[in-house]
């Protein structure tokens, strides 16, 4: 069939075939099947159909993260049903409320590895492209079918290649790159496409910045995202997997690297785009669409009531460090609330150990339990009608955070922290002017 993209190679591997064609529909057996708080609803359908046993419980990964701690009796009952299902089915990879957001947790646990396939009942499963895995969101009924049979069909997506060159300047982040892509190509620009990044710019990005990009591609309509894994990725995963399994780090690293997949040099792409990272500037998505994006300089000065740093897109240590660097020795504006929710318990503990949380609390921030927080409007920071939110989250459509009459702006954690400080949308470079400090310098 000729040269293959990453998506073709990953799907072919999961299908047990040497190669697949673009647009072909094939049956695949994913390495991992993921769900979260929606597990209870899927389990109810599963049992209602007369099914009793999951085909392969060792391939299931279940995390409680969307409503933790449970804000209502209904949510608490939902969690109780999930715990019963996990016990009945013998699911070993279960992560309790407080461990963190599913995508972050599965990455930290080094369960998913380069070249593998994970299908999850969450749209941001594109996240696992950061390590060169095929991650795709699927519906609840698809997860039910995967539980029952271990397999499902996928259509092989066409691919888009985005080449990155250079390095991000101080005060500009991977979130700004994602927002720039959405502005240029639209929120549906990657619809059911494999968005495959390439170029020297990828190697210049931190591990956590790569997670931001792959995760955020869900808002681009992508079926999956892909960043080519390198030595830093293999090392990051090997250290965690060896710690969990007790295997020698070197042997684990070699095994991970051997399983990685890369597109053929002459693979065919539907479209190709190029970005120079050093030419980017801070960007902001304005209400009420993720592709309603403007340079920050065009919206600077807009009043802010609530500032939120967290979610599976931007709740990692790098993000909290950026906020701490900006707010160190300062206080947030008197009429602003700043909410910071780490993406996982590991991030929380490390941020505590390094003193970031003390800095943020002294600045007036509230710290939440690791999880999704107010991202989907369940609890822990829902805005009042008429309020303006600046968030490091991934979505800003009307009512996303539980209040249809609130306005949500999306930006990087550095912009969110600077805006909380001034009480209006602010460029972090303006706050740090003269200090010559990288917002991530505390790392």
């Amino acid at each position: 069939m000729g040269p293959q993209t990453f998506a073709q190679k990953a799907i072919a591997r999961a299908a047990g075939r040497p190669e697949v064609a673009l647009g072909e529909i094939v049956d695949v057996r994913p390495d991992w099947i993921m769900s979260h708080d929606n597990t209870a609803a899927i389990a109810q359908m599963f049992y209602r159909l007369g099914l009793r046993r999951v085909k392969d419980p060792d391939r299931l990964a279940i995390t409680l993260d969307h409503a933790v701690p449970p804000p209502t009796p209904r949510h608490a009952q939902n969690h109780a049903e999930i715990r019963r299902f996990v016990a009945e089915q013998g699911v070993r990879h279960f992560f309790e409320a407080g461990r963190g957001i599913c995508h972050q947790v599965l990455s930290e646990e080094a369960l998913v590895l380069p070249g593998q396939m994970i299908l999850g009942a969450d749209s941001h499963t594109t996240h696992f492209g950061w390590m060169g895995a095929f991650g795709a969101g699927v519906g609840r009924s698809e997860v039910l079918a995967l539980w029952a049979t271990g397999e499902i069909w996928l259509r092989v997506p066409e691919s888009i290649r985005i080449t990155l060159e250079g390095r991000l300047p101080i005060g500009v982040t991977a979130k700004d790159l994602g927002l720039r892509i959405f502005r240029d190509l639209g929120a549906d620009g990657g619809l059911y496409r494999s968005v495959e990044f390439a170029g020297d710019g990828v190697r210049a990005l931190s591990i956590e910045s790569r997670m931001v990009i792959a995760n955020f591609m869900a808002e681009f309509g992508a079926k999956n995202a892909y960043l080519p894994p390198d030595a830093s990725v293999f090392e990051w995963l090997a250290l965690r997997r060896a710690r969990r399994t007790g295997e020698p780090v070197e042997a684990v690293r070699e095994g991970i690297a051997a399983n990685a997949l890369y597109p053929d040099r002459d693979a065919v792409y539907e479209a190709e785009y190029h970005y120079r990272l050093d030419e980017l500037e801070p960007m902001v998505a304005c209400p009420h669409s993720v592709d309603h994006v403007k340079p920050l300089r065009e919206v600077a000065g807009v009043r802010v009531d609530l500032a939120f740093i967290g979610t599976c897109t931007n709740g990692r240590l790098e993000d909290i460090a950026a906020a701490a660097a900006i707010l160190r020795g300062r206080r947030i504006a008197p009429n602003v609330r700043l909410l910071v929710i780490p993406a996982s318990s590991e991030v929380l503990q490390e941020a505590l150990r390094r003193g970031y949380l003390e800095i943020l609390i002294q600045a007036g921030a509230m710290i939440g339990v690791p999880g999704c927080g107010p991202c989907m409007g369940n609890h822990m920071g829902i805005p009042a009608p008429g309020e303006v939110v600046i968030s490091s989250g991934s979505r800003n459509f009307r009512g996303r955070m539980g209040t249809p009459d609130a306005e949500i702006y999306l930006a990087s954690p550095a912009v969110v922290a600077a805006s909380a400080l001034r009480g209006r949308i602010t460029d972090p470079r303006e706050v740090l002017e003269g200090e010559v400090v990288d917002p991530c310098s505390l790392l």
Side-chain angles (χ1 to χ4, degrees):
M1 292 184 185
Q4 302 270 293
T5 63
F6 162 76
Q8 287 176 278
K9 289 188 175 185
I11 291 176
R13 175 180 282 178
R17 292 174 48 178
E19 54 186 23
V20 294
L22 296 176
E24 184 179 3
I25 294 175
V26 297
D27 290 329
V28 298
R29 177 183 168 83
D31 299 277
W32 294 99
I33 305 162
M34 187 192 76
S35 56
H36 44 66
D37 298 41
N38 54 22
T39 301
I42 303 170
Q44 289 169 8
M45 294 189 292
F46 186 82
Y47 291 134
R48 197 178 302 131
L49 289 174
L51 300 169
R52 288 293 173 261
R53 301 300 304 173
V54 169
K55 179 76 172 178
D56 187 355
D58 282 347
R59 285 195 287 148
L60 269 60
I62 299 174
T63 309
L64 298 183
D65 60 5
H66 273 54
V68 297
T72 68
R74 179 176 61 82
H75 287 97
Q77 177 62 29
N78 180 68
H79 286 186
E81 291 177 10
I82 293 170
R83 294 185 186 103
R84 281 198 295 271
F85 174 82
V86 165
E88 289 169 1
Q89 299 297 330
V91 176
R92 294 190 300 118
H93 304 295
F94 172 61
F95 303 97
E96 259 291 1
R99 176 62 182 89
I101 304 174
C102 53
H103 313 296
Q104 180 71 16
V105 171
L106 268 59
S107 294
E108 291 174 351
E109 295 285 332
L111 290 179
V112 185
L113 297 174
Q116 291 189 337
M117 175 180 288
I118 175 170
L119 301 180
D122 187 278
S123 59
H124 289 102
T125 309
T126 58
H127 174 96
F128 297 94
W130 77 264
M131 68 173 76
F134 186 101
V138 295
R140 296 181 182 184
S141 57
E142 284 78 16
V143 168
L144 187 158
L146 284 163
W147 286 358
T149 69
E151 299 181 354
I152 200 166
W153 63 265
L154 286 180
R155 178 186 176 276
V156 182
E158 290 76 15
S159 295
I160 295 171
R161 182 161 63 185
I162 300 178
T163 300
L164 306 179
E165 299 175 357
R167 302 178 67 91
L168 290 168
I170 289 176
V172 182
T173 72
K175 185 64 164 287
D176 299 302
L177 168 65
L179 291 171
R180 173 64 184 273
I181 291 171
F182 301 160
R183 188 193 74 165
D184 293 349
L185 306 178
D188 59 354
L191 193 60
Y192 205 96
R193 298 295 185 269
S194 175
V195 182
E196 304 187 9
F197 289 84
D200 292 341
V202 174
R203 288 192 292 274
L205 294 168
S206 68
I207 295 294
E208 297 191 353
S209 291
R210 299 182 202 193
M211 291 182 183
V212 173
I213 293 171
N215 184 290
F216 209 22
M217 287 301 106
E219 312 313 318
F220 193 41
K223 182 62 177 177
N224 71 283
Y226 169 80
L227 286 82
D230 55 20
S232 61
V233 170
F234 303 145
E235 183 71 12
W236 195 94
L237 290 167
L239 289 172
R240 284 161 173 75
R241 192 171 183 88
R243 184 173 61 207
R244 181 167 58 82
T245 65
E247 301 171 82
V249 173
E250 186 174 338
V252 173
R253 186 192 308 112
E254 290 177 359
I256 291 173
N259 199 53
L261 292 174
Y262 300 90
D264 291 330
R265 190 178 300 274
D266 48 354
V268 176
Y269 293 91
E270 183 179 73
E272 296 200 37
Y273 304 97
H274 292 76
Y275 286 91
R276 285 205 57 86
L277 299 179
D278 50 6
E279 294 177 354
L280 298 178
E281 62 180 308
M283 309 293 287
V284 175
C286 304
H288 296 281
S289 174
V290 72
D291 58 358
H292 182 198
V293 174
K294 298 180 180 180
L296 184 150
R297 51 188 162 77
E298 295 184 12
V299 294
V302 171
R303 183 194 91 249
V304 169
D305 300 295
L306 172 63
F308 171 44
I309 296 173
T311 79
C312 59
T313 305
N314 273 121
R316 283 171 278 279
L317 189 66
E318 184 174 274
D319 305 316
I320 294 173
I326 289 167
L327 294 172
R328 181 168 45 186
R330 299 180 169 104
R331 290 281 301 181
I332 62 174
N335 296 320
V336 176
R337 291 103 62 202
L338 172 60
L339 174 61
V340 179
I341 299 184
S344 72
S345 57
E346 180 178 306
V347 173
L348 173 64
Q349 288 177 304
E350 188 62 17
L352 180 63
R353 188 184 71 80
R354 298 191 184 201
Y356 301 161
L357 297 188
E358 182 178 3
I359 292 171
L360 295 174
I361 292 170
Q362 288 177 348
M366 297 175 280
I367 310 299
V369 173
C372 298
C375 179
M376 64 179 295
N378 272 332
H379 64 153
M380 293 181 72
I382 296 172
E387 288 194 321
V388 176
V389 181
I390 187 156
S391 167
S392 72
S394 56
R395 291 176 181 161
N396 66 336
F397 57 78
R398 193 180 297 276
R400 170 62 182 180
M401 292 181 69
T403 309
D405 295 328
E407 295 190 343
I408 305 170
Y409 291 81
L410 301 179
S412 73
V415 172
V416 174
S419 302
L421 179 67
R422 297 285 176 83
R424 51 181 170 76
I425 294 179
T426 300
D427 190 324
R429 299 172 300 184
E430 174 188 323
V431 174
L432 295 171
E433 187 175 8
E435 296 185 21
V436 196
V437 174
D438 184 340
C440 292
S441 62
L442 287 188
L443 284 170

